[in-house]
């Protein structure tokens, strides 16, 4: 069994909260943990923490109602049964729930031996076609917010945490957003500012030490804006594929099989978004 502290007292929800609190490593660098192969023991961002907390609470409440469990140890044997009840969820949510349970009990995800549905780009519902919530969001009324998103590619959590002081200009005059809060996995990065640079600079300078956006429109399709941003970054760096060596070209698989991209340009787009794998950019962001 994993390393969950089974001596924690209080309600099941409280036990989950205390256990995940012990996993927090906010602001700590992951390099040392990676070298020691112990990153699975820690949580590096508040966004991840909140997501795991929510899904772990779903699990223990179900265990309490279905099996009368009162401790995390008593809940432990029912993980696979719980996940069988979650088969109607998207593959992404299923994998998120497995990751949350693994973190709760101190396992690597693969050690749980829980099968989930395969993730496929064609099954992604968000940000590809209009959905009902899109009709309740006016891009015209939120023009500055939309332009800012298209120019910076920030995630929703990063936008929520963003302060004007994050604006950075390098010696060459290029502007970046220095992302230090709200990022996935707590990763820090410099996101190049493209598009409406003047607007981004104005909003950041006006905000100063305060938040650039005191509130984020809940219906805004931030992922879609990130996809457009990534596509524009890619186009800035893409080279004619016919001039590239085979190893410099990324060959898509799955439902994008037959499509090819410049690996170097993909890496630039991936870094700007805060991802480590170019396959993520090809599968979920590039719209070419």
């Amino acid at each position: 069994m994993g390393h969950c502290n089974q001596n924690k007292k209080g309600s099941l929800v409280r036990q989950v909260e205390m256990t995940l609190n012990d996993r927090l490593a906010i602001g700590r660098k992951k390099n040392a943990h990676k070298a020691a192969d112990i990153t699975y023991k820690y949580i590096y961002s508040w966004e991840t923490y909140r997501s795991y907390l929510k899904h772990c609470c779903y699990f223990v409440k179900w265990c309490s109602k279905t099996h009368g469990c009162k401790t995390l140890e008593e809940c432990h044997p029912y993980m696979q049964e719980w996940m069988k009840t979650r088969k109607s969820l998207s593959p992404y949510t299923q994998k998120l729930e497995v990751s949350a349970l693994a973190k709760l009990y101190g396992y690597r995800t693969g050690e749980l031996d829980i099968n989930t549905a395969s993730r496929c780009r064609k099954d992604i519902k968000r940000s590809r076609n209009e959905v009902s919530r899109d009709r309740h969001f006016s891009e015209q009324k939120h023009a500055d917010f939309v332009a800012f998103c298209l120019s910076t590619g920030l995630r929703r959590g990063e936008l929520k945490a963003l302060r004007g002081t994050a604006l950075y200009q390098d010696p060459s005059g290029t502007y970046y957003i220095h992302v230090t809060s709200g990022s996935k996995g707590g990763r820090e990065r410099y996101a190049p500012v493209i598009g409406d640079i003047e607007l981004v600079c104005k909003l950041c300078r006006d905000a100063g030490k305060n938040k650039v956006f005191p509130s984020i429109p809940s219906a805004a399709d931030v992922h879609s804006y990130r996809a457009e941003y990534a596509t524009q970054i890619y186009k800035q760096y893409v080279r004619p594929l016919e001039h590239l060596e085979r190893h410099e070209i990324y060959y898509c698989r799955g439902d994008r099989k037959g499509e090819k991209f410049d690996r170097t340009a993909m890496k630039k787009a991936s870094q700007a978004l805060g991802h480590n794998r170019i396959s993520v950019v090809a599968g979920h962001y590039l719209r070419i």
Side-chain angles (χ1 to χ4, degrees):
M1 186 169 170
H3 307 290
C4 179
N5 186 346
Q6 304 302 330
N7 296 318
K8 296 186 184 297
K9 305 298 182 182
S11 70
L12 276 170
V13 168
R14 180 59 178 160
Q15 291 175 52
V16 168
E17 184 179 38
M18 294 174 67
T19 299
L20 293 183
N21 284 348
D22 288 346
R23 311 280 192 225
L24 284 172
I26 305 298
R28 295 173 64 179
K29 300 297 184 182
K30 296 175 68 174
N31 291 342
H33 288 173
K34 283 183 178 179
D37 192 26
I38 56 173
T39 54
Y40 69 93
K41 296 181 179 180
Y42 299 100
I43 298 173
Y44 298 91
S45 79
W46 287 113
E47 184 178 0
T48 301
Y49 170 83
R50 287 188 287 268
S51 182
Y52 283 179
L53 177 63
K54 178 175 70 174
H55 288 281
C56 286
C57 285
Y58 290 160
F59 166 64
V60 297
K61 288 178 180 178
W62 174 85
C63 288
S64 176
K65 181 178 179 180
T66 307
H67 297 288
C69 299
K70 297 185 182 299
T71 68
L72 295 184
E73 183 175 20
E74 291 175 352
C75 294
H76 181 272
Y78 301 110
M79 285 188 287
Q80 291 202 13
E81 183 181 339
W82 162 248
M83 288 307 302
K84 288 179 181 178
T85 72
R86 311 296 277 173
K87 292 299 184 183
S88 63
L89 299 176
S90 73
Y92 295 86
T93 304
Q94 290 180 43
K95 290 183 184 298
L96 168 62
E97 295 210 326
V98 172
S99 296
L101 293 176
K103 195 69 67 175
L104 180 66
Y105 286 101
Y107 289 109
R108 293 178 174 84
T109 304
E111 292 176 333
L112 294 185
D113 195 27
I114 297 176
N115 294 322
T116 59
S118 298
R119 295 185 287 192
C120 184
R121 182 176 179 272
K122 66 181 177 61
D123 296 326
I124 300 173
K125 299 293 192 296
R126 64 179 180 176
S127 308
R128 302 198 180 278
N129 299 296
E130 184 183 54
V131 293
S132 59
R133 68 182 295 171
D134 293 337
R135 293 191 286 270
H136 300 288
F137 178 72
S138 170
E139 291 192 337
Q140 185 175 0
K141 291 181 179 179
H142 298 88
D144 286 356
F145 174 78
V146 173
F148 192 97
C149 292
L150 291 172
S151 299
T152 62
L154 300 189
R155 296 182 175 91
R156 183 176 293 274
E158 295 165 350
L159 290 163
K160 287 180 179 179
L162 182 67
R163 297 183 183 275
T165 50
L167 182 67
Y168 167 77
Q169 186 178 27
D170 72 10
S172 71
T174 302
Y175 284 97
Y176 297 86
I177 295 296
H178 185 196
V179 180
T180 58
S181 301
S183 61
K184 189 174 183 178
R187 290 191 290 269
E188 180 180 346
R189 76 178 186 284
Y190 286 87
V193 179
I194 62 174
D196 198 338
I197 298 174
E198 184 177 345
L199 172 68
V200 172
C201 291
K202 181 181 185 304
L203 292 179
C204 287
R205 287 166 180 163
D206 287 349
K209 294 181 180 180
N210 298 317
K211 289 188 175 181
V212 177
F213 299 105
S215 63
I216 305 297
S218 61
D221 191 354
V222 174
H223 181 83
S224 176
Y225 304 142
R226 276 170 57 77
E228 180 60 30
Y229 170 82
T231 301
Q232 295 307 314
I233 292 288
Y234 175 84
K235 287 180 177 179
Q236 283 186 11
Y237 293 97
V238 66
R239 299 165 295 173
L241 297 183
E242 61 270 20
H243 296 164
L244 302 181
E245 299 291 337
R246 183 176 178 83
H247 70 272
E248 297 179 291
I249 299 175
Y250 180 88
Y251 295 86
C252 294
R253 293 176 291 182
D255 63 321
R256 296 196 78 162
K257 187 175 182 180
E259 294 185 66
K260 299 181 289 185
F261 297 105
D262 179 346
R263 282 183 173 273
T264 297
M266 289 176 72
K267 185 175 181 180
K268 291 287 187 180
S270 178
Q271 291 171 338
L273 288 173
H275 281 292
N276 289 328
R277 293 174 295 156
I278 61 175
S279 59
V280 174
V281 175
H284 306 295
Y285 291 98
L286 290 186
R287 296 180 174 178
I288 299 174

